Amino acid sequence: MAKTEEKSTPADASGLDRLKEQVAAYATAQGQRMADKAGGKISDLAQGLGDVGDGNSTLLNVGKRVLGEGDSPVKAFLGEKTGEVKDKVVDTVKGAFGRGGKAGSVKVTNIVEVVDVGKPLRTVYDRWTQLEEFSSFTKGVQSVSQSDETESDWKAKIAFSSRSWKATVQEQIPDKRIVWNSEGAKGTTRGAVSFHELAPELTRVVAVVEYYPSGFFEKTGNIWRAQGRRLRLDLKHFLRYATLSDDEDLEGWRGEIRDGEVVRSHEEGLEADGRDDEDQDEKEQEDEKDQDEKEQDDEEQDDESEEGDADNGDDRYEDDEEEDEDDEEYEDDEDR
């Protein structure tokens, strides 16, 4: 058995010096013990990596973080597990909303809303064509600017987020319908609004929209059908706005668009409306004339009928007189 040599301490060394030496020896021993422990863990980790090979990327990433970035084994392992959970959550959300799955798996929101406005057909249509006014009565729309007859830029505030999109009119026929589509960073929309005269002072507005969401909150709203509620609310706001507005100076856009191209300008539309109004006036005058002539014919027929009844009455009176004379002659013959 080897004999352990102890380091001698000078006799004249003070107690403080001896204490310093003992503290230093203890620190050295503790440092060696921690190093041996970490080395054993790294060895076990390396052994596990060798056994796993390419079949498990988690341990491999843990090893990279320990050896390359200097993280502790526990910290590296927890970091990798947290990353895996996060990836699983993201994949689950993407799968639920159509991303990460099959192409075309995004669900489309189909919206149909109807509102009846107590104004004439042309007035309601002209009011709808005033796109710049939408920011004054719809919820969330901050501004609308038209670059030309077919395109307009929209900006809206939804919750704490701002949205913008460009709308393009594909078809627009005055007093009948408007068909459009819009492209934005958070979704695509295809829509149509039609106008129907129920009475001279009552117009029905029917809005049909297909909404293709692409943002997280938009897809969440898709599940909650928030877009349908928003359109319903906007139509109610339009009803209030159109009903309470003064229509004296109202002039809507009277042009016509087909296949995304303007086929009749606003001025041409106004001229056509003027001709239609003249034709309508002429038709109404002709109808009134026909009605007067019909009434006159009816009066003449009534007069002729009355005269015929009077003649028939006279004939019946003459017949009665002849019958009376015959009766008197018969009575005279009996007396004789």
Side-chain angles (χ1 to χ4, degrees):
M1 182 174 178
K3 182 178 180 181
T4 303
E5 295 182 358
E6 296 181 356
K7 186 176 179 181
S8 61
T9 302
D12 57 350
S14 64
L16 180 60
D17 292 336
R18 289 195 298 272
L19 179 61
K20 288 181 179 180
E21 290 178 359
Q22 292 176 0
V23 170
Y26 177 78
T28 301
Q30 287 294 102
Q32 185 63 36
R33 186 179 305 156
M34 293 179 64
D36 293 341
K37 185 176 180 180
K41 290 185 177 181
I42 294 176
S43 299
D44 295 339
L45 178 61
Q47 181 65 31
L49 292 176
D51 295 337
V52 171
D54 295 333
N56 192 336
S57 61
T58 301
L59 293 179
L60 181 60
N61 292 333
V62 171
K64 290 180 179 179
R65 295 181 65 163
V66 171
L67 299 177
E69 301 178 10
D71 291 344
S72 67
V74 175
K75 180 179 179 181
F77 182 78
L78 292 177
E80 284 301 312
K81 284 299 181 182
T82 303
E84 284 185 358
V85 173
K86 180 180 178 181
D87 292 339
K88 289 181 180 179
V89 171
V90 172
D91 291 340
T92 302
V93 172
K94 288 182 177 180
F97 295 120
R99 295 185 61 182
K102 295 181 180 179
S105 60
V106 177
K107 291 186 178 180
V108 180
T109 301
N110 297 308
I111 308 170
V112 179
E113 294 294 337
V114 179
V115 65
D116 294 337
V117 184
K119 288 291 183 75
L121 173 63
R122 178 167 176 172
T123 301
V124 175
Y125 172 82
D126 288 347
R127 183 65 65 186
W128 187 279
T129 61
Q130 306 297 304
L131 299 181
E132 294 85 355
E133 299 296 328
F134 271 60
S135 60
S136 64
F137 64 87
T138 56
K139 182 179 180 180
V141 177
Q142 295 178 319
S143 65
V144 182
S145 60
Q146 287 191 263
S147 54
D148 54 31
E149 289 85 354
T150 61
E151 293 185 351
S152 58
D153 296 315
W154 297 65
K155 293 182 179 179
K157 184 77 172 180
I158 301 176
F160 301 101
S161 178
S162 297
R163 298 287 187 269
S164 62
W165 64 89
K166 179 181 292 293
T168 304
V169 177
Q170 299 297 325
E171 182 180 11
Q172 183 165 347
I173 301 176
D175 302 332
K176 291 186 178 181
R177 63 180 174 275
I178 302 173
V179 181
W180 79 92
N181 59 44
S182 63
E183 296 287 342
K186 301 301 181 180
T188 302
T189 301
R190 296 175 56 197
V193 57
S194 58
F195 306 86
H196 310 268
E197 184 180 68
L198 302 181
E201 294 290 332
L202 183 62
T203 302
R204 172 162 293 177
V205 180
V206 180
V208 181
V209 176
E210 288 184 350
Y211 183 63
Y212 302 80
S214 61
F216 177 80
F217 290 104
E218 283 71 14
K219 290 180 178 180
T220 305
N222 186 13
I223 292 178
W224 296 338
R225 294 295 185 266
Q227 292 81 9
R229 292 194 297 271
R230 172 59 63 86
L231 179 60
R232 189 180 310 118
L233 180 61
D234 287 343
L235 283 180
K236 289 182 179 179
H237 288 325
F238 175 76
L239 167 63
R240 173 184 54 80
Y241 173 71
T243 302
L244 300 179
S245 297
D246 183 9
D247 304 324
E248 183 177 356
D249 299 328
L250 176 62
E251 181 177 320
W253 193 77
R254 305 298 300 177
E256 185 173 337
I257 300 173
R258 294 184 182 274
D259 296 329
E261 299 291 337
V262 178
V263 297
R264 187 172 68 179
S265 65
H266 172 64
E267 291 75 15
E268 294 172 344
L270 289 177
E271 293 177 0
D273 291 338
R275 292 192 296 270
D276 292 339
D277 292 339
E278 292 178 358
D279 295 339
Q280 183 66 24
D281 292 339
E282 293 178 358
K283 186 177 183 301
E284 290 177 356
Q285 292 176 1
E286 291 178 356
D287 293 340
E288 291 178 358
K289 183 179 179 180
D290 294 339
Q291 183 67 23
D292 293 338
E293 292 177 353
K294 183 179 179 181
E295 291 178 356
Q296 185 175 358
D297 293 339
D298 293 340
E299 290 177 357
E300 291 177 355
Q301 291 177 1
D302 292 339
D303 293 339
E304 292 177 356
S305 177
E306 291 176 358
E307 291 176 359
D309 293 339
D311 294 338
N312 293 333
D314 294 338
D315 294 339
R316 287 194 297 271
Y317 180 73
E318 292 176 356
D319 293 339
D320 292 339
E321 289 181 348
E322 292 177 355
E323 290 178 358
D324 293 339
E325 291 177 355
D326 293 339
D327 292 339
E328 290 177 356
E329 292 178 356
Y330 178 74
E331 290 176 356
D332 292 339
D333 291 340
E334 285 183 350
D335 293 337
R336 286 196 297 271

